[in-house]
Amino acid sequence: TTQVRAELMPRITGTTTFSHRSTTEASALGGSITSSSRTHESSLGLNQLLFDFGNTRERVHQADLLRQSADSGVLAAQNDLALTVKEQYYTMVENRELLAVAEKDLANRQEQLRLARALYKAGNKSPGDVVRAQTTVSTSVFNLNKVRRDLEIAQQQLLQALGFPPLTPLQLVDQVEPEIAERDVTTLLERAASVRPDLLAAQKTVEARQAGLNAAHTTNYPSVSTYAGLTYQGLANGLQ
């Protein structure tokens, strides 16, 4: 934006040239005569754009809209990252709670197996009852191992989302999400359409393309500018 906007400001130009010329002429008396001269020229000018049918201003507007679109894109990326971290956090919390449930279930199944074996020895249970109790214990062990694996995966995904090394220890702190002030679906949709950064970025990009199109329409139009400057010419040992 700043680079394009600079075209609306006055432009100062300056040049300096230096030349050295040597000439050799034949003398009527024989031999030659060599002469040399050194000259320099300096100029300083000021150029100001007056009117170009809005071409420069449209390009400035386009650059500013693209900057706003990029800012919204950054905000959208930050929001996406925050959402990913929250999702992985609650996934890990869920698996932590499931782990506690699976550990209690295994303890209950093991107690049932112990009771089934005791009743079998007392003659009150059949061998099939003991086998079924053993099967439920095996299933509970399998489920516990699966929950432990899911918890480890959830932890690694959370660490990855946070940008931490895989072996970084994590200690979860329970928190309560704030209540949503507005629960009407229509109102929530309208608010999302007005503040979501990805939608704002897309909108600004469309507006920037329109500004670029407007500038392209005036590309072949003439432009009016004014120029003022000073030029000095003279010998190298003194100005004229």
Side-chain angles (χ1 to χ4, degrees):
T1 302
T2 304
Q3 182 179 1
V4 181
R5 194 186 302 277
E7 299 182 17
L8 297 173
M9 306 298 293
R11 288 179 291 175
I12 300 177
T13 59
T15 60
T16 297
T17 59
F18 176 83
S19 64
H20 177 84
R21 183 175 63 179
S22 297
T23 59
T24 302
E25 298 179 353
S27 173
L29 301 178
S32 60
I33 300 175
T34 302
S35 62
S36 63
S37 63
R38 293 179 296 174
T39 61
H40 81 278
E41 177 178 332
S42 299
S43 64
L44 182 67
L46 178 67
N47 186 42
Q48 174 63 58
L49 176 66
L50 297 179
F51 182 70
D52 63 353
F53 292 90
N55 180 276
T56 302
R57 294 191 180 279
E58 287 292 344
R59 289 190 292 113
V60 170
H61 185 47
Q62 179 189 28
D64 185 60
L65 288 172
L66 289 176
R67 178 193 60 79
Q68 295 179 40
S69 176
D71 291 341
S72 297
V74 172
L75 182 57
Q78 293 173 344
N79 289 345
D80 290 342
L81 176 59
L83 177 61
T84 300
V85 170
K86 277 197 171 186
E87 288 177 342
Q88 298 304 331
Y89 166 81
Y90 284 115
T91 299
M92 188 173 176
V93 170
E94 178 185 10
N95 282 282
R96 184 189 63 180
E97 299 300 324
L98 291 176
L99 177 62
V101 173
E103 290 174 344
K104 291 181 180 179
D105 180 71
L106 177 59
N108 291 334
R109 299 300 181 184
Q110 289 174 337
E111 179 61 24
Q112 291 176 2
L113 176 59
R114 186 192 65 79
L115 180 60
R117 286 174 175 172
L119 292 176
Y120 171 72
K121 291 181 179 180
N124 295 325
K125 287 285 186 178
S126 65
D129 294 328
V130 177
V131 172
R132 282 191 293 269
Q134 181 64 57
T135 301
T136 58
V137 170
S138 300
T139 302
S140 184
V141 170
F142 174 81
N143 292 336
L144 177 61
N145 291 333
K146 181 179 181 300
V147 172
R148 285 173 175 170
R149 186 205 63 177
D150 293 342
L151 178 60
E152 180 63 28
I153 292 175
Q155 178 174 334
Q156 293 304 315
Q157 290 176 340
L158 179 57
L159 288 172
Q160 183 180 22
L162 293 171
F164 292 158
L167 299 181
T168 303
L170 281 180
Q171 183 176 1
L172 298 183
V173 177
D174 295 332
Q175 63 177 9
V176 179
E177 291 291 333
E179 291 290 335
I180 300 177
E182 181 61 57
R183 295 182 178 273
D184 180 65
V185 176
T186 303
T187 304
L188 292 175
L189 290 176
E190 292 176 352
R191 175 174 173 77
S194 62
V195 300
R196 279 193 56 170
D198 51 346
L199 296 180
L200 294 177
Q203 180 182 357
K204 295 300 181 181
T205 300
V206 172
E207 294 177 3
R209 296 292 182 262
Q210 182 60 51
L213 180 61
N214 295 338
H217 285 161
T218 61
T219 300
N220 295 326
Y221 291 178
S223 61
V224 180
S225 61
T226 183
Y227 178 83
L230 295 174
T231 300
Y232 295 92
Q233 293 180 333
L235 300 176
N237 58 355
L239 294 177
Q240 292 183 346

